[in-house]
Each structure stands twice: as structure tokens, then as C-alpha cells.
Amino acid sequence: MMMRKRLWLLLLLIPLAELYGFIWVSHWIGAGKTILLIILTTLIGAAMMQFEGRKVIADAKNEMNRGQMPGTAKCWMDYVSFSAGACCLSLDF
């Protein structure tokens, strides 16, 4: 039960901290530049996810064509890179 409360607290505090960061940055560099930074990080995250997704599929096909099962260590690194792109999409900063 305590873990569930902590999770809800994190789900509330993380967006609030992000909103605070947006406001702070917009005061520092201006609202227009802040919006452009948000859009830029979203585009970078989308490009990372697209690149990593294609790379994972190509690597898996190459390994299967050689008669091997795709390696779990390689899949793990691809998953981490894909997750980094997803974080750029969702967190923006």
C-alpha cells in the first residue's frame, strides 16, 4: 500500500517539477525559445525512436539470417536507446 502512495506522489511531483522547469526556463530565455526547445527535443526523440526501431529490426533480421537467435545483451542496449528517445518525446527537458 505504501508503494502505491509513493507511485502516485511521483506521478504528481514529476509533472509539477517539469512545469516549474518550463516556467523557469521561459523567464530565463523567453517563452518563444522555450517552446522551440520543447518542439526540438520532441523531434529529436522521435528521430531517435525511429532510428533505433529500424536498427533493432535490421540487427534481428541479420542475426536470424545467420541462423542465430538475436542476442539479449544487444536487444537490451537497443531497448535502452529506444527508451531514451521515448523520454525525449514525453519529458521534453
Side-chain angles (χ1 to χ4, degrees), residues 14-35:
I14 290 173
L16 287 176
E18 185 178 11
L19 182 62
Y20 175 78
F22 289 151
I23 293 169
W24 184 78
V25 169
S26 70
H27 283 289
W28 190 46
I29 65 171
K33 290 181 183 177
T34 302
I35 292 170

Side-chain angles (χ1 to χ4, degrees), residues 7-19:
L7 180 63
W8 281 109
L9 185 63
L10 278 176
L11 289 175
L12 177 69
L13 290 179
I14 290 173
L16 287 176
E18 185 178 11
L19 182 62

Side-chain angles (χ1 to χ4, degrees), residues 54-76:
R54 288 181 179 167
K55 185 175 149 207
V56 168
I57 291 171
D59 289 345
K61 281 182 181 179
N62 287 337
E63 288 185 18
M64 287 189 285
N65 286 339
R66 288 182 288 178
Q68 301 173 340
M69 284 291 286
T72 56
K74 177 73 175 133
C75 288
W76 176 250

Side-chain angles (χ1 to χ4, degrees), residues 40-53 85 88-89:
L40 181 66
T41 56
T42 301
L43 292 174
I44 290 171
M48 283 176 62
M49 288 179 68
Q50 184 179 23
F51 176 78
E52 288 300 324
C88 285
L89 274 177

